[in-house]
């Protein structure tokens, strides 16, 4: 009797031991839909996100881990460019207080309810993801060597690009003479939440680092863009070209941009300028109706849309906050009359503007942007041609410069005579000024002008940049000063990092 | 249950003796005395105690009695048989009649007193305490087989009585009738059940555990749960330390001993029959009528055996088991009907039609909202929309109608009120019914309990659930050493929900749903202007009309949940004292939720319009990208699987004549839980033919449609955002090792210790972080067993307890650890189609994350005085939680705004008191009272949250209790009707920017600490009064000392819904005597001020304390002769009312249970609920 129970118990105990010996295996289970990044596909997939394409659009969730995928009030420099004008303060009231402060060039934009800026925290969150790739992919076993190198290179290009945009917002404009003392933004090269204090790199430290990174990485990138959603070699050269261009290093920029052009030619996806002069190939595709041009508000292809052939790499930011904000479309900010006059009569880019509500009711008498609310910031043809044109002009290659700018103008303006560069543009300086104006026409009321203002602030060719950087609001006027070319650092990080130095 | 006890202890308990006035009828001719005794036992429920050696029970005699009192019958029998008898409680002690008194022998003679103590299922009871009434030092304790044996001086014990005590059993007194082999049968005492504790791993005597426990008996829960509908809710007020926070919106939160976590798990663990279960399993599978006991494990010693999940306390539920009925089947029925009625609409304080129209006129502002904007649809994704009252006002404003025409039209609207139609067409009073039949019985080999339960619940929103539950519990005693128990539950819940009108259900009073003749009316003007709709209908060949009463016809929403669980246990006694216990549990649930929206619903037609391009001319057709016939059919299939395997060895023994008692157990447990779901969405579905229509999902999801008939987004193409198929799967696994050791010396001093280690596949964490043993230790001093206490008569029981231990909350699975955690991006990433899955980092690598640890010190005392008339316990505790898990602010430069981290320390200190008293106890009257009181003080000692950026909307700050209510210091209205507060200098200000939000808390002059939102004092008072066959029971519950906001919401902009009446008392012009801010027609004007300075101002802080007469129940048991005629043992009718009376400390008439304390919004408020119930036990 007793023997039997001992035998039974032993059997059960054996079962117990057997059942627990597989413990390690038992607990070695990964939840579905989530993972710890282990494989090449995991790291590679981190760049398959529209969030990183839509720069300044998403930020880490302030209420906890994860992303907060919503449009903030940024970027504030959209409100700070010289072509803008606003009607009476009441009508201007549709904007958030922070946006109005930006329009007034206030020192502290974030003095109201929030202490974070998407431009700052969003871009740094993308930098974190790219650092995860850069820090970890070298240790991976799977994926081919060239795939791994290309992925690291892509992440480094992204990291450089995001740091540059941060510096363009919060850092001092790049000046060779003072690069060792001018403060840029913190340079983050390690994915870690354990670093509790950060300090700002100088312009030299930052740009030496990212330019070096780019130069090392670009040859590793894949050739021949197969998709505009990811960075290929053409996009890499574009980023390098843009950074050097913004630094005022035109010959170096020119070299990178030419390489971009060469690489773009190898692209698998169709890349070509839209022909604005032929409605059937452009405007009518986008729902434009000549009978009610002011009612045309949507339909232009997003940069990430495969049909948008002007895009080489689909990074962009959106400026619809100054077009379509709050509940009242009608009253907001407009383009100054003399800036609107920069468009010739048959310049089709006029169609993106209207001086009436979409119902047809006239408004303030001035024009505002009504369509094409997404501004490409990654590699794109118009910007490539315009930057190249200016580089050629500045390095004295007049023919190439004219050729470049005409590539764009011929697709934008109806009639060869009107599209041609006026004969009055007959010197190197005038050509440079003409090309900068062309940039303005192409990017009117998109915020892109901000980067030119920073770049050309002390350029003797452009004294009007300072004098025109005045905003009127009813009877009040506000003037942009040099110190405000760098926005102040968001208060939260100043609070958390004692070593961060704020801008004046 | 006692069978599993295998533990021993003693309880001093005096019996309450009732008169032996049971009447019996018996007619037995020439039968053995033993048979006659058996027959009487059967009919009377009394048992005979006698010495088999002294009484010749085989002798045949005759006995006849016709409905005579038991005592008379027994007297008759004894006269015939030559016996003496005496009644001892429910026992009749038979002794041989002495023919003559023998002279007392004076010389001392030691005799051996021996016997066996068994329970009513003839199982031996180990550890029963047997002693002589007049000399308690002459005593013995039963061994594992129930035997006792000790010697006594024959002379001194003559005429004395043997007393037997056993935990959980009614004590008995048996006259000493000489040396014999006593067989002493003890009856279970349900009143004393509270003296054993079921932890889910073992059942131990309260006397030997240092833990803090509370126990609620099943029958109390059953009756309450039938009317409240929720088991957890019915536990309110029953046990000190449990705080049930009932909200009429259906949420209930329950906490044991306060809040120990801010961001991690806060709720206690629920255990049913030894296995941890989710709340949904509890709700869907366990019938309230099957519940036997509910035990709360509150401190570290009590709960640590459950390891990492026990930091918030544990609720252990046992269900009924079979019993030895000598093969008779006990059948009983329990049923109830409950009426909850309709919510009280007037409590919502909404405007009546006249006030609504008056307000509409007053707030109409064609400057802020120009007609051309309204007309253009710019405000509503290009869909122009105007409300009827606005239309009239604009018409007048634009000069289309005269003022008198306007007034006439508005008066017409003001005469309409849709509330009655709303209630008639879309609501119903809530009814519920429950029925439960149970069968129980068995013999010494096999015992069973079967029950069949049905519950039907209907809600105000016309949804109904039907729940069927089958429960079976069986026990097999194969041999004296092998026992197997098997529990099988099947549960099926079907539900159907009313499909609400898909265009919305308007609260605007004049929006009638049907005309006077009952013809349905259109509400499409709430969605689009008619002119716009007609144009679009024509251009897209789609009917866009919205008629609420016709909308949902043909649509349905149904759910079905099937659950089954098997819970098997094996118990093997290996050698003396050593037992193996195995528990094997498997639960599987399958759910299906179907939702069909027919083509008649506006939502389906509207979706089609999003993906339709209008016709180019009147002769062409529109381009449809979605099916134009059939409806949308969504099915969610879900499956859950849980299993547990537990193998455990326990050892118990005693040494040195019971001086040392030891019990120990150790085990290993594996547990897994897996949930899978599949969602599929079909369009163009025909429920009759089971067909659907295909469409180009890639085109609609990736590229979208340009130039659609209706826009669904402000920019870009219209895209289909929800994919047609979605999958989900989660699985968690645990491996645990645990052990528990107890030692008792001399029945006076016990120490306990337990330890447990849990490991899981908590993903992304490091194994080293997981290896955190949970442990506890405790000490009990059983004062009542001290010799010096035996002399006194005051205390029947007195125990002092002390315990200390550590519990923990692990970080949630996948919420972070030393590795980055990525998740698949599903939304908005269709464009990456050919590039592989997109991933985003959900949680950053975080090496600083560790367990939340709660240390608890508990001092307690249990007492029982005045022959157990008053008993109770008092506990004082200090819970100290370190490494509090919360979101910690990070510099954004790191890439993260916050991270989940161990950021603080929280303490909970409290006192709990429970007192039970029997106030009256005699033949006809019985009155008992049960009182519980809890006090909990919470404080966040430390919060490493660098965020000094202060907002009143955040409830947790260092140095203050969790859930603190912060309010602005209200300083009146200015001459624009804008509320004011103070800035740092004490000046009056009205915008948030003027308040220095960076000043330290307490220095900020604009902010007031208004108290806490969790009640620090709470408990219940229950009275049970029984008079003959009537029972009255009522319970008050109280929650005191907390605060809430007054109903408050700002209104600005267009009047598009019904709003709070108080808006009519707003500031309109200088001199108005009011604090309610003025109206602002649009947000642009609204930004000049912050209306929360009033709505969240100290002026609007109310006391949230309340006392409720939670329930009152009257029951009547039919007299036994009527029951007999109906072949029943018991018929009981019960009438219950809940929430008959509310006493709230606020003067506004708010019921804090129908109130959102944080923001002051009102929930539905119901009147009392009524329930009638019937219990029948068949013969």
């Amino acid at each position: 009797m007793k023997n039997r129970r001992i035998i039974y118990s032993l059997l059960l105990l054996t079962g117990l031991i057997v059942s627990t010996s597989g413990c390690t295996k038992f607990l070695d289970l990964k939840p579905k839909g989530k993972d710890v990044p282990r494989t090449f596909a995991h790291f590679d997939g981190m760049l398959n996100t529209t969030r990183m394409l839509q720069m300044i659009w998403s930020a880490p969730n302030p209420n906890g881990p994860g992303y907060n995928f919503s449009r903030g009030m940024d970027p504030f420099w959209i409100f700070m460019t010289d072509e803008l004008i606003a009607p009476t303060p009441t009508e201007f009231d549709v904007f958030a207080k922070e946006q109005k402060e930006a329009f007034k060039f206030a020192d502290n934009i974030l003095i109201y309810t929030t202490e974070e800026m998407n431009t700052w925290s969003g871009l740094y969150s993308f930098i974190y993801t790219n650092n995860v790739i850069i820090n970890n992919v070298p240790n991976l076993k799977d994926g081919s060597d060239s795939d791994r190198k290309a992925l690291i290179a892509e992440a480094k290009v992204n990291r450089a690009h995001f740091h540059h945009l941060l510096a363009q917002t919060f850092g001092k404009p790049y000046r060779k003479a003072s690069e060792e003392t001018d403060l840029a933004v913190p340079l983050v090269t390690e994915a870690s939440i354990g670093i509790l204090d950060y300090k700002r790199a100088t312009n030299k430290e930052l740009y030496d680092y990212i330019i070096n990174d780019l130069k090392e990485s670009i040859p590793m990138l894949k050739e021949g863009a197969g998709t505009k959603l990811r960075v290929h070699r053409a996009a890499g050269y574009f980023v390098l070209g843009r950074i050097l261009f913004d630094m005022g290093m035109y010959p170096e920029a020119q070299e990178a941009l030419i390489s971009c052009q060469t690489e773009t030619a190898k692209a698998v996806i169709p890349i070509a300028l839209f022909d604005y002069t032929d409605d059937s190939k452009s405007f009518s595709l986008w729902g434009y109706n000549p009978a009610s041009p002011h009612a045309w508000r949507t339909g232009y292809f997003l940069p990430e849309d495969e049909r948008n052939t002007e895009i080489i790499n689909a990074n962009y930011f959106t400026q619809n906050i100054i077009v379509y904000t709050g509940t009242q479309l009608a009253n907001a900010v407009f383009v100054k009359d003399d800036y609107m006059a920069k468009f010739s009569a048959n310049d089709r880019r006029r169609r993106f503007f209207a001086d009436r509500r979409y119902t047809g009711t006239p408004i303030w008498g001035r024009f505002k942007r009504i369509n094409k609310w997404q501004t490409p910031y990654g590699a794109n043809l118009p910007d490539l041609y315009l930057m190249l044109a200016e580089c050629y002009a500045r390095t004295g290659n007049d023919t190439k410069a004219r050729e470049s700018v005409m590539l764009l103008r011929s697709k934008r303006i109806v009639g060869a005579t009107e599209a041609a560069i006026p004969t009055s543009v007959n010197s190197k300086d005038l050509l440079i000024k003409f090309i900068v104006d062309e940039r303005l026409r192409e990017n009117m009321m998109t915020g892109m002008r901000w980067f030119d203002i920073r770049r050309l602030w002390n350029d003797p060719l452009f004294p009007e940049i300072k004098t025109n950087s005045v905003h009127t609001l009813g009877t009040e006027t506000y003037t942009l000063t040099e110190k405000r070319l760098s926005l102040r650092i968001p208060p939260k990080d100043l609070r958390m990092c004692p070593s961060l130095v704020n801008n004046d | 249950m006692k069978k599993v006890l295998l533990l021993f202890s003693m309880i001093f308990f005096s019996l309450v003796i009732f008169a032996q006035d049971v009447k019996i009828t018996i007619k037995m001719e020439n039968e053995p005395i033993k048979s006659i005794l058996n027959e009487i036992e059967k009919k009377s429920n009394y048992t005979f105690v006698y010495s088999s050696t002294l009484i010749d029970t085989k002798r045949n005699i005759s006995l006849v009695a016709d409905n005579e009192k038991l005592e008379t019958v027994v007297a008759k029998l004894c006269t015939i048989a030559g016996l003496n008898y005496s009644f001892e409680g429910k026992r009749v002690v038979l002794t041989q009649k002495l023919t003559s008194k023998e002279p007392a022998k004076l010389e001392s003679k030691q005799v051996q007193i021996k016997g066996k103590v068994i329970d009513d299922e003839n199982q031996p009871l180990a550890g029963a305490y047997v002693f002589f009434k007049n000399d308690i030092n002459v005593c013995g304790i039963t061994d594992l087989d129930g035997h006792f044996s000790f010697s006594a001086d024959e002379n001194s014990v003559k005429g004395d009585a043997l007393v037997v005590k056993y935990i959980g059993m009614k004590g008995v007194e048996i006259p000493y009738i000489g040396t014999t082999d006593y067989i002493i049968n003890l009856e279970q005492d349900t009143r004393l059940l509270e003296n054993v504790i079921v932890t889910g791993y073992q059942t131990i005597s309260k006397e030997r555990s240092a833990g803090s426990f509370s126990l609620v008996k099943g029958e109390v829960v059953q009756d309450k749960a039938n009317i409240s509908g929720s088991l957890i809710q019915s536990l309110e007020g029953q046990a000190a330390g449990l705080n049930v926070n009932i909200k009429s919106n259906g949420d209930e939160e329950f906490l044991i001993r306060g809040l120990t976590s801010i961001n991690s798990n806060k709720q206690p663990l629920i255990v049913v029959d030894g296995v941890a279960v989710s709340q949904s399993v509890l709700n869907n599978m366990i019938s309230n009528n099957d519940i036997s006991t509910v035990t709360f494990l509150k401190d570290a010693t009590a709960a640590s055996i459950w390891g990492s999940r026990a930091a918030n306390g544990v609720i252990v539920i046992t269900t009924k088991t079979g019993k030895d009925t000598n093969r008779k089947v006990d059948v009983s029925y329990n049923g109830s009907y409950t009426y909850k009625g309709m919510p009280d609409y007037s409590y919502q304080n909404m405007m009546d039609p006249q006030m609504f129209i008056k307000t509409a006129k007053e707030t109409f502002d064609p400057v802020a909202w120009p007609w051309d904007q309204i007309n253009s649809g710019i405000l509503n994704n290009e869909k122009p929309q105007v409300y009827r009252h606005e239309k009239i006002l604009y018409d007048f404003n634009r000069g289309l109608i005269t003022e008198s025409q306007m007034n006439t039209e508005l008066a017409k609207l003001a005469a309409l009120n849709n509330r009655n139609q709303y209630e008639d067409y879309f609501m119903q009073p809530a009814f519920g019914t429950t029925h439960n039949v149970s069968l129980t019985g068995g013999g010494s080999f096999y015992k069973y309990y079967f029950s069949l339960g049905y519950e039907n619940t209907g809600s105000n929103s016309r949804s109904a659930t039907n729940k069927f539950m089958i429960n079976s519990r069986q026990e097999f005693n194969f041999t004296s050493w092998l026992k197997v128990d098997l529990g099988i539950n099947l549960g099926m819940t079907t539900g159907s929900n009313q499909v609400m009108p898909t265009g919305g259900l308007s609260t605007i009073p004049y929006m009638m749903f049907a005309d006077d003749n009952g013809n349905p009316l259109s509400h499409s003007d709430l969605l689009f202007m008619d002119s716009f709709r007609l144009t679009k209908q024509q251009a897209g060949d789609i009917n866009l009309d919205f008629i609420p009463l016709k909308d949902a016809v043909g649509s349905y929403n149904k759910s079905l949940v099937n659950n089954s669980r098997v819970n098997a246990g094996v118990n093997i006694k290996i050698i003396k004292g050593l037992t193996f216990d195995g528990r094997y549990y498997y639960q599987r649930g399958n759910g299906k939720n179907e939702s069909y929206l027919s083509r008649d619903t506006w939502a389906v037609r509207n979706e089609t319009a999003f993906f339709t391009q209008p016709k180019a001319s009147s002769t062409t057709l529109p381009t449809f990208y979605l099916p134009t016939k059939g409806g949308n059919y969504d099915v969610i299939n879900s499956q859950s699987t849980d299993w547990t395997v537990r193998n455990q060895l326990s050892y118990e023994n005693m040494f040195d004549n019971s001086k040392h008692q030891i019990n120990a157990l150790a085990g290993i447990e594996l547990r897994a839980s897996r949930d899978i779901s599949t969602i599929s969405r079909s369009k163009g579905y025909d429920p009759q033919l089971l067909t659907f229509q295909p469409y180009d999902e890639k085109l609609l999801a990736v590229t979208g449609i340009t130039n659609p008939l209706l826009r669904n987004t402000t920019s870009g193409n219209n895209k289909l955002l929800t994919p047609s198929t979605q999958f989900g799967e989660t699985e968690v696994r645990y491996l645990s090792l645990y052990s528990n050791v107890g030692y008792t010396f001399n029945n006076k001093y016990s120490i306990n210790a337990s330890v447990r280690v849990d490991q899981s596949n908590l993903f992304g964490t490091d194994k080293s972080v997981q290896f955190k043993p949970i442990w506890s230790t405790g000490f009990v001093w059983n004062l009542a067993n001290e010799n010096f206490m035996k002399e006194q008569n005051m205390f029947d029981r007195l125990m002092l307890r002390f315990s200390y231990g550590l519990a923990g909350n692990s970080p949630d699975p996948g919420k972070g650890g030393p590795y980055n955690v990525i998740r698949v991006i599903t939304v908005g990433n269709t464009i990456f189609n050919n590039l592989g899955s997109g991933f985003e980092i959900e949680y950053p690598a975080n090496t600083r994350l560790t367990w939340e640890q709660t240390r608890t010190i508990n001092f307690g005392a249990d007492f029982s005085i005045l022959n157990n008339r008053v008993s109770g316990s008092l506990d004082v505790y200090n819970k100290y939680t370190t490494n509090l898990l919360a979101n910690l602010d990070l510099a954004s430069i790191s890439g993260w705004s916050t991270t989940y981290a161990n950021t603080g320390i929280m303490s909970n200190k409290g006192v709990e008191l429970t007192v039970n008293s029997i106030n009256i106890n005699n033949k006809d009257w019985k009155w008992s009272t049960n009182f519980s009181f809890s006090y909990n003080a919470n404080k966040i000692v430390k919060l490493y949250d660098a965020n000094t950026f202060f907002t009143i909307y955040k409830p947790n700050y260092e140095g203050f209790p969790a859930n603190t209510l912060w309010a602005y210091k209200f300083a009146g209205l200015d001459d624009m009707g804008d509320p004011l507060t103070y800035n740092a200098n004490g000046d009056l200000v009205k915008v948030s920017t003027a308040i220095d939000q960076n000043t330290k808390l307490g220095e900020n002059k604009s902010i007031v600490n208004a108290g806490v939102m969790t009640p620090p004092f709470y408990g219940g008072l229950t009275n049970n009064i029984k008079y003959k066959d009537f029972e009255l029971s009522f319970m008050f519950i109280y929650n005191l000392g907390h605060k809430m906001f007054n109903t408050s919401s700002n209104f600005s902009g267009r009047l598009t819904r019904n709003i709070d009446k108080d808006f009519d008392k707003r500031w309109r012009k200088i001199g108005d005597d009011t604090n309610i801010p003025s109206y602002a027609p649009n947000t642009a004007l609204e930004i000049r001020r912050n209306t929360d300075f009033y709505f969240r101002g100290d002026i609007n802080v109310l006391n949230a304390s309340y006392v409720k007469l939670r329930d009152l129940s009257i029951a009547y048991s039919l007299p036994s002769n009527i029951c007999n005629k109906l072949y029943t043992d018991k018929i009981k009718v019960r009438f219950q009312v809940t929430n008959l009376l509310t006493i709230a400390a606020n003067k506004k008439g708010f019921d804090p249970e129908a109130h959102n304390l944080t923001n002051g919004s009102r929930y539905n408020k119901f009147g009392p609920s009524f329930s009638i119930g019937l219990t029948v036990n068949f013969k």
Side-chain angles (χ1 to χ4, degrees), chain A residues 20 48 112 128 297 358-359, chain B residues 376 382 647 668 820 829 993:
Chain A
T20 48
N48 287 343
Y112 292 95
Y128 180 91
R297 295 169 57 234
Y358 93 97
T359 52
Chain B
S376 70
E382 301 180 8
N647 291 309
I668 181 162
N820 288 295
N829 257 54
T993 47

Side-chain angles (χ1 to χ4, degrees), chain B residues 243 245 259 908 935-940 955-957 959-967 1008-1018 1039-1045 1101-1105 1152 1157-1158:
Chain B
N243 180 18
N245 184 4
L259 197 68
N908 279 282
Y935 166 72
N936 178 278
N938 174 290
K939 190 179 175 186
I940 298 175
N956 302 323
Y957 289 97
F960 298 92
N963 262 335
T964 296
L965 190 69
W966 300 99
V1008 182
N1009 178 352
V1012 287
M1013 291 180 282
T1014 317
F1017 303 95
Y1018 54 93
N1039 282 290
L1040 306 173
H1042 56 314
K1043 293 291 195 299
M1044 63 179 178
F1045 269 122
V1101 174
L1102 300 176
N1103 190 337
S1105 304
L1157 307 186
T1158 321

Side-chain angles (χ1 to χ4, degrees), chain A residues 218 232-242 253-267 271 312 379-381 384-385 387-388:
Chain A
I218 290 167
H232 289 76
R233 207 177 286 171
Y237 279 120
F238 183 92
V239 171
L240 178 62
R242 154 156 294 157
Q254 180 180 315
E255 192 188 331
L257 292 168
I258 290 168
S259 303
C260 171
Q261 211 170 9
T262 319
E263 287 296 328
T264 303
K266 301 178 193 164
I271 294 174
I312 303 162
N380 67 88
L381 281 189
L384 175 65
Y385 293 150
M387 284 197 292
L388 257 182

Side-chain angles (χ1 to χ4, degrees), chain A residues 24 113-114 125 168 194 208 262 286 300 350 427 449 461 472:
Chain A
T24 340
T113 52
T114 167
S125 78
Q168 287 277 50
D208 279 357
T262 319
W286 308 324
Y300 187 86
R350 274 182 173 274
S427 70
R449 172 75 171 165
L461 269 181
T472 60

Side-chain angles (χ1 to χ4, degrees), chain A residues 1-2 4-6 8-9 12-13 16 19-20 23 25-37 41-42 44-51 53 60-67 93-95 97 100 111-116 120-121 124-125 128-129 132 136 186 188 192-196 198 227 229-230 297-299 302 304-307 320 324 327-330 357-359 361 373-374 492-493 495-497 500, chain B residues 368-369 372-373 376-379 381-382 479-482 570 572-576 580 584 643 647-649 668 670-672 674 703 706 711 714-717 719 729 731-735 759-761 763-764 767 813-814 819-825 827-829 831-832 835-846 848 887 889-900 946-949 992-993 997 1082 1084 1087:
Chain A
M1 199 57 172
K2 227 159 206 174
R4 207 180 338 149
R5 61 171 105 166
I6 289 167
Y8 281 176
S9 311
L12 277 162
L13 282 171
L16 187 154
S19 68
T20 48
C23 285
K25 225 175 177 182
F26 174 72
L27 294 177
D28 192 15
L29 176 89
K30 298 245 156 47
K32 304 244 166 113
K34 289 187 181 189
D35 211 329
V36 160
H42 287 151
D44 188 61
M46 287 180 195
L47 298 180
N48 287 343
T49 167
T50 49
R51 292 176 190 189
L53 296 180
N61 190 345
N63 299 318
Y67 281 101
D93 259 341
V94 296
F95 291 115
K97 297 170 207 178
K100 289 190 286 188
I111 53 172
Y112 292 95
T113 52
T114 167
E115 52 167 11
E116 288 184 74
W120 179 269
S121 49
Y124 272 116
S125 78
Y128 180 91
T129 301
V132 167
N136 291 292
V188 184
S192 166
I193 59 165
I195 301 166
L196 299 176
Y198 291 88
T227 169
L229 304 172
R230 296 285 295 267
R297 295 169 57 234
T298 57
L302 286 178
E304 64 198 27
D305 191 315
E306 60 193 6
R307 294 166 296 178
N320 62 2
Y324 184 92
T327 53
Q328 305 190 7
L329 174 71
R357 293 179 185 156
Y358 93 97
T359 52
T361 327
W373 305 338
Q374 281 75 25
K492 182 183 170 192
D493 282 22
R495 175 159 67 69
M496 312 261 334
C497 306
L500 269 190
Chain B
W369 304 99
D372 62 348
Q373 275 186 31
S376 70
I378 198 84
L379 308 174
N381 269 351
E382 301 180 8
T479 66
S480 62
W481 51 269
L482 174 64
V570 180
I572 301 172
K573 289 172 187 154
I574 303 168
I575 48 168
K576 190 183 176 193
F580 169 85
Y584 312 99
W643 58 262
N647 291 309
Q648 172 179 317
L649 284 173
I668 181 162
L670 299 173
R671 204 167 74 85
R674 184 169 181 224
T703 313
T706 52
R711 299 207 61 81
T714 47
S715 63
N717 296 344
K719 285 187 184 176
E729 181 174 336
E731 183 165 3
V732 208
R733 291 180 180 176
Y734 296 90
L735 164 68
Q759 288 210 13
S760 68
N761 67 323
F763 162 79
K767 292 259 159 53
Y819 312 108
N820 288 295
V821 175
I822 51 171
R823 67 171 169 208
V824 179
I825 305 170
V827 180
N829 257 54
I831 60 165
F832 287 91
L835 297 175
S837 291
F839 296 101
E840 68 175 352
I841 300 175
E842 190 179 15
Y843 296 98
N846 185 349
R848 295 182 293 174
N887 287 329
D889 266 8
L890 292 174
S892 305
I893 306 170
S894 67
W896 296 87
S897 187
T898 58
T899 184
Y900 199 51
N947 196 349
T948 51
F949 189 74
S992 305
T993 47
Q997 286 169 314
N1082 64 21
I1087 56 177

Side-chain angles (χ1 to χ4, degrees), chain B residues 59-129:
Chain B
R59 192 182 134 200
N60 286 9
I61 58 163
S62 300
L63 182 70
V64 180
D66 182 18
N67 200 22
E68 289 176 47
K69 276 194 176 176
L70 176 67
E71 189 161 5
T72 323
V73 178
V74 173
K76 231 187 236 181
L77 171 90
C78 288
T79 318
I80 300 167
L83 299 168
N84 265 344
Y85 71 91
S86 63
F87 278 87
E88 303 284 351
K90 284 225 153 195
R91 277 156 222 274
V92 187
V93 179
L94 299 180
T95 47
Q96 208 156 34
K97 199 171 231 169
L98 300 173
T99 42
S100 63
K101 286 188 178 172
E102 288 174 40
K105 288 174 191 165
L106 292 171
E107 74 268 30
S108 159
K109 184 187 168 197
Q110 289 290 313
V111 286
Q112 200 65 19
I113 314 290
K114 58 184 180 73
K116 188 178 183 185
V117 180
I118 53 172
D119 66 10
D120 43 11
E121 291 168 14
N122 296 324
Q123 296 293 323
L125 292 171
Y129 192 42

Side-chain angles (χ1 to χ4, degrees), chain B residues 127 197 222 226 299 312 368 445 454 553 629 915 933 960 1136:
Chain B
I197 297 149
Q222 281 163 29
N226 279 344
D299 68 350
N312 306 313
F445 168 72
Y454 169 74
V553 178
K629 298 258 174 356
V915 180
F933 167 84
F960 298 92
Q1136 284 170 283

